[in-house]
Amino acid sequence: MTHDRKARLNRRTFLRAAAIGIGSAALAACGGGGATAPTQPPATLPPPTTAPTLAPVQPTPPPTAAPAPTAAPAGTVTNSLGVTLPENAAPLEHQTFVVYFDITADFTSPNQMETIYKSGGFGSITNLTGDTLVRLNKDFQVQPAAALSWSSDETGKVWTFNLDPNLVWSDGTPVTAEDFVATFRYAADPQHAWDFAWYYSAPGAIKNWDKCVAGELPLEELGVTAKDKHTLVIETETPAPFLPAKLVYSEVLSAAKLKEYGSGLYTADPEKTISCGPYILKEFKPRERVVFEINPTYKGTNRPRIERVVQIAARPEAMFAGYQAGEVDRVTGEQLQTADNEIIARDPELSKQVRLTAGDFRTDYLFFDCQNPPFNDVRVRQAFSHIVDRDTLIKTIITPTQGIPAYSFLMPGFPASNSEGLKDIQRYDPELGRALLKEAGYEGGKGFPKLTLWLRNEPQIRQALAAAIAAAITQEYGIEVEVSNKDFKTFMDALNAKPTQIQFGMVSYGIDFLDPSNMLGVWLSTGRHNWFNKKFDEMVLSASESTDPNRIKVFQDAERLLCEEAPAVFIYHRTVADIYKPYVVGECFEPNIAGFSGLQWPGFTSMSDSLQTMYMSNEVTKYRKAPPR
């Protein structure tokens, strides 16, 4: 194709051509597979119109003691834990939740304190065999879990958690504060090299966390201690009013098993593992299937209805076909391809099975090596921020049910979000971008190095997205860009390397707890990327420590600086449209405070109370010929 021919293409046509032709050629060269052809947006499914309007996280009173099992009326279903299911529940042999996980993703353990990034990819179900200190309800409010109550001292730096004395491991030994101490020490152990270790750094860093992770202090100096058998004390480096919410990542490991095996990998071996959570691991074959069954010894407050969870390994591009064939009960929005969404949108019955969620307020973005040329020049980064035609990309590739344009990092509805106020900073404006590149000495792309856009094991839909962006950079700026879809480990090792090994990449980030300090903390000098801005650090850290309502304004000012300095180019916020069979029901699917009626983040896990309400209705027998194996 000649340059003149390219110039005659309108923008949308060009992006389609880019994703189909130019993009797939680049990806094929990189071993990433062909790009999915972008098509027209869905005709029948409207984009989400109700922006999340979530209330601030507020600790809620502890629940009353779980009611003792009582004799169920004749004809009702009672599971292995003694939980009586609603009248319309299917027979017990059908109370099995069957889902897919990504066969191409690493899956070394289902326990989050062993690994976050090697747990089967998006859509897998993990974190079921150990209670966390707190959990979330569908409105993202913090609920008591392994900790029944908590309080802080007057400094806001010493927190006391009162543990549920009823919790026991499945081998009969009690769960104590020492188990949590051992869990956090294991997470901070440099020999373990937990792939999520940065999470407990600032803001709200656990006392001595960074020094323990670096091996500069012994693990005994970590600010997590047992006051007595059922009282856990956690100290932070600075006041951390959001600490209870942050502790949703605290799935407890057995201190005795850690000592016996020297590693948390025992959680991936059904012969070795024990559980104090709602389920116990029965099968773990990462390239085949993973099975959990209800833990009959569970004594906690997160009492589930579902009897078994079966996960089948599959490639994302094959998952929707399997769903249509009745192999599974759910496919998540992240696992659906562009063509899948089109089929769903045009089928009235499938459209009824779509359930929208805010996901984890995830934002996809481009990022740069900000310490080395050419991206250490803010004018270059700003030029790239004006090349992304978000509206067209959403309509032609992502589809409106699966995302909304992002011009900033915090998704609408997230605390401190200021999407409209920041919308103009990274607007689509290639002409302005060309002017900025000229000012930086790269007119028409002359002298600019060839780029490789790294992706993190993305499915076809986001490979097509990246290919379209790469093609636009080439056409508008004269800069050659190749797209390379790396496996997850290769990408994360390169991203986390010091100094980073990725010059230009595309990745996403979603919440770990509902506070701006979490999302914006990614951009601190100690965070995920190598953009260092003292003013940004000061604003985020000071607001993080504050309980003043004005802290929200400080976070908003920090995000404005982030958009202006452009260490990232924000592309889209994921508004996930999952698809569930009609017989998967329960109160967890009733609209939440923001109007979303899907299974909200963190989904079917000990981190959520959704386990307590989801079940299979008797309608399942219309779809399943036999109970799942």
Side-chain angles (χ1 to χ4, degrees):
M1 184 181 294
T2 67
H3 177 76
D4 290 341
R5 170 78 174 101
K6 288 180 183 176
R8 287 197 295 273
L9 298 175
N10 64 35
R11 193 167 64 239
R12 179 172 297 180
T13 304
F14 173 73
L15 287 172
R16 287 181 189 164
I20 296 170
I22 301 171
S24 59
L27 287 164
C30 303
T36 300
T39 51
Q40 292 293 337
T44 57
L45 271 184
T49 56
T50 305
T53 53
L54 301 174
V57 171
Q58 294 290 341
T60 50
T64 56
T70 56
T76 58
V77 177
T78 300
N79 69 18
S80 301
L81 201 54
V83 176
T84 300
L85 276 60
E87 290 183 358
N88 68 338
L92 191 59
E93 61 268 28
H94 279 288
Q95 295 302 325
T96 300
F97 187 33
V98 187
V99 302
Y100 286 129
F101 68 94
D102 187 348
I103 196 172
T104 68
D106 286 342
F107 203 164
T108 59
S109 168
N111 182 287
Q112 62 183 210
M113 303 304 277
E114 173 58 37
T115 179
I116 291 292
Y117 297 116
K118 299 177 183 176
S119 55
F122 287 111
S124 67
I125 292 179
T126 55
N127 313 325
L128 292 173
T129 59
D131 267 5
T132 49
L133 286 168
V134 301
R135 68 177 74 102
L136 303 181
N137 64 16
K138 63 184 178 182
D139 294 327
F140 299 93
Q141 295 172 320
V142 178
Q143 306 290 304
L148 296 179
S149 63
W150 51 83
S151 61
S152 70
D153 71 352
E154 65 279 3
T155 70
K157 297 195 294 185
V158 181
W159 290 79
T160 302
F161 294 84
N162 302 303
L163 304 183
D164 185 345
N166 296 313
L167 286 176
V168 294
W169 293 103
S170 51
D171 65 357
T173 59
V175 176
T176 71
E178 291 293 351
D179 288 308
F180 282 95
V181 171
T183 298
F184 279 93
R185 287 181 180 176
Y186 179 63
D189 189 339
Q191 292 189 356
H192 172 204
W194 187 34
D195 54 13
F196 206 49
W198 64 268
Y199 178 72
Y200 281 113
S201 295
I206 291 176
K207 183 180 178 182
N208 293 333
W209 179 269
D210 290 340
K211 291 181 179 178
C212 288
V213 170
E216 297 170 0
L217 281 179
L219 295 171
E220 289 74 16
E221 297 294 321
L222 188 66
V224 181
T225 54
K227 183 177 180 180
D228 58 40
K229 193 174 181 181
H230 294 117
T231 307
L232 183 71
V233 177
I234 299 180
E235 298 177 74
T236 55
E237 297 281 1
T238 58
F242 49 82
L243 184 67
K246 190 169 185 174
L247 288 169
V248 72
Y249 283 91
S250 55
E251 185 182 9
V252 66
L253 292 160
S254 161
K257 293 295 180 182
L258 283 173
K259 183 177 181 180
E260 179 179 358
Y261 297 113
S263 161
L265 286 173
Y266 77 84
T267 56
D269 186 341
E271 298 299 319
K272 296 178 179 177
T273 192
I274 56 175
S275 170
C276 68
Y279 292 89
I280 192 163
L281 185 68
K282 287 297 181 180
E283 292 183 46
F284 190 77
K285 301 173 182 174
R287 299 296 176 184
E288 298 178 32
R289 61 189 239 148
V290 175
V291 177
F292 295 97
E293 290 183 1
I294 215 164
N295 176 6
T297 67
Y298 180 59
K299 303 296 184 185
T301 55
N302 209 11
R303 295 162 59 82
R305 288 172 169 173
I306 294 292
E307 188 78 7
R308 296 173 71 229
V309 178
V310 175
Q311 302 187 78
I312 303 169
R315 291 188 173 278
E317 55 268 28
M319 291 179 179
F320 180 59
Y323 175 87
Q324 290 180 295
E327 187 175 45
V328 296
D329 304 317
R330 177 195 74 180
V331 176
T332 66
E334 291 96 347
Q335 296 167 330
L336 291 169
Q337 312 301 310
T338 303
D340 302 336
N341 288 319
E342 285 191 338
I343 294 171
I344 294 167
R346 291 169 180 157
D347 185 311
E349 290 304 314
L350 288 173
S351 295
K352 293 178 185 175
Q353 297 170 24
V354 170
R355 295 177 181 174
L356 291 175
T357 82
D360 56 357
F361 297 88
R362 184 165 294 270
T363 299
D364 286 76
Y365 59 92
L366 304 173
F367 66 93
F368 314 103
D369 175 359
C370 296
Q371 299 305 307
N372 293 290
F375 294 116
N376 60 347
D377 188 328
V378 66
R379 296 168 297 185
V380 174
R381 302 197 300 267
Q382 290 170 337
F384 275 59
S385 78
H386 295 301
I387 197 61
V388 180
D389 183 1
R390 298 160 179 84
D391 290 333
T392 302
L393 293 171
I394 295 293
K395 289 176 183 175
T396 58
I397 298 177
I398 299 302
T399 66
T401 54
Q402 300 290 357
I404 57 177
Y407 297 88
S408 51
F409 196 42
L410 303 182
M411 181 173 167
F414 194 84
S417 173
N418 183 28
S419 301
E420 280 301 311
L422 303 176
K423 190 175 181 179
D424 193 53
I425 298 173
Q426 295 197 357
R427 68 184 182 277
Y428 177 66
D429 190 345
E431 185 174 349
L432 176 57
R434 284 191 290 272
L436 286 163
L437 278 179
K438 180 180 179 181
E439 188 178 326
Y442 298 109
E443 184 176 12
K446 186 177 181 180
F448 206 96
K450 178 183 176 181
L451 299 176
T452 298
L453 177 56
W454 283 47
L455 309 185
R456 186 178 67 175
N457 194 35
E458 296 290 356
Q460 288 185 353
I461 190 170
R462 277 188 289 281
Q463 292 178 37
L465 175 74
I469 293 172
I473 293 170
T474 300
Q475 187 199 31
E476 300 287 355
Y477 292 164
I479 298 170
E480 189 176 355
V481 182
E482 179 184 67
V483 178
S484 182
N485 196 27
K486 305 293 187 184
D487 66 76
F488 202 98
K489 183 178 186 303
T490 298
F491 184 99
M492 292 307 297
D493 287 350
L495 177 65
N496 292 329
K498 305 297 180 187
T500 185
Q501 297 172 1
I502 302 179
Q503 181 188 41
F504 183 36
M506 187 180 89
V507 72
S508 65
Y509 191 79
I511 64 166
D512 302 303
F513 58 97
L514 198 70
D515 189 86
S517 60
N518 173 222
M519 290 289 285
L520 294 177
V522 170
W523 299 101
L524 290 172
S525 298
T526 55
R528 179 190 249 186
H529 299 288
N530 71 346
W531 175 63
F532 308 136
N533 188 292
K534 184 178 179 181
K535 184 177 180 182
F536 178 88
D537 285 4
E538 290 174 350
M539 285 193 286
V540 171
L541 291 174
S542 65
S544 298
E545 298 173 10
S546 174
T547 56
D548 189 324
N550 289 329
R551 70 194 289 266
I552 294 299
K553 177 64 168 58
V554 180
F555 281 127
Q556 290 178 331
D557 290 343
E559 191 186 19
R560 175 175 291 279
L561 179 60
L562 177 70
C563 294
E564 292 172 343
E565 290 286 310
V569 177
F570 306 107
I571 305 170
Y572 81 105
H573 304 296
R574 298 186 195 178
T575 50
V576 181
D578 301 329
I579 185 166
Y580 284 82
K581 295 294 185 183
Y583 52 79
V584 185
V585 297
E587 294 90 329
C588 58
F589 293 110
E590 295 175 357
N592 73 353
I593 192 172
F596 288 111
S597 57
L599 187 64
Q600 303 303 315
W601 185 85
F604 196 88
T605 162
S606 292
M607 302 157 73
S608 164
D609 66 5
S610 64
L611 308 181
Q612 300 172 38
T613 64
M614 197 176 93
Y615 65 101
M616 304 292 158
S617 78
N618 49 26
E619 198 175 354
V620 67
T621 55
K622 298 179 184 177
Y623 295 83
R624 287 180 182 166
K625 295 179 181 178
R629 291 188 297 112

